[in-house]
Amino acid sequence: AIQKACASLEKDYCPPITFIIAQKRHHTRLFVQNQRDGDRSGNVPAGTVVDNTITSPHLYDFYLNSHAGIQGTNKPAKYTVLKDDNRMPPDMLFRLTYALCHVYA
């Protein structure tokens, strides 16, 4: 649908699209192995990315803890990349996603 909308703007207009969904409805929590590695609340630091071990072997997905916790245990967002025409390297995609978490209108 997005590609069709782009084509309706101008003939042969087909920009590369990266489509990522964010999910907060899950039961995954991240913990530091050593308390001194955590933030003041004992959570993993903001910007922590987990892209292996607990992720799906069939999907391009990752967990990103985008903010420091104030109280309790943080709940990272789970991101699933559905389409990546830009073929961004994973680290670049993680940094872009983290930066977009701090953009406000």
Side-chain angles (χ1 to χ4, degrees):
I2 295 172
Q3 290 172 328
K4 200 179 281 188
C6 291
S8 72
L9 295 173
E10 185 178 321
K11 186 179 178 188
D12 297 326
Y13 178 56
C14 188
I17 295 171
T18 299
F19 191 78
I20 306 169
I21 57 170
Q23 179 182 3
K24 289 288 277 187
R25 293 184 138 199
H26 59 78
H27 300 289
T28 304
R29 301 288 194 274
L30 304 177
F31 299 94
V32 292
Q33 286 186 333
N34 191 323
Q35 191 66 27
R36 71 172 185 265
D37 295 333
D39 63 13
R40 62 189 170 140
S41 299
N43 291 302
V44 295
T48 299
V49 173
V50 175
D51 65 341
N52 58 34
T53 309
I54 62 172
T55 56
S56 170
H58 307 291
L59 300 173
Y60 182 4
D61 61 343
F62 60 95
Y63 291 91
L64 170 63
N65 185 47
S66 60
H67 61 281
I70 298 172
Q71 182 179 11
T73 305
N74 279 7
K75 187 174 187 180
K78 179 182 180 186
Y79 295 91
T80 304
V81 181
L82 297 180
K83 184 175 182 66
D84 187 14
D85 294 340
N86 292 292
R87 294 189 177 100
M88 281 192 254
D91 287 339
M92 183 184 291
L93 189 65
F94 303 155
R95 286 193 305 270
L96 174 63
T97 304
Y98 180 61
L100 290 173
C101 289
H102 302 284
V103 176
Y104 298 97

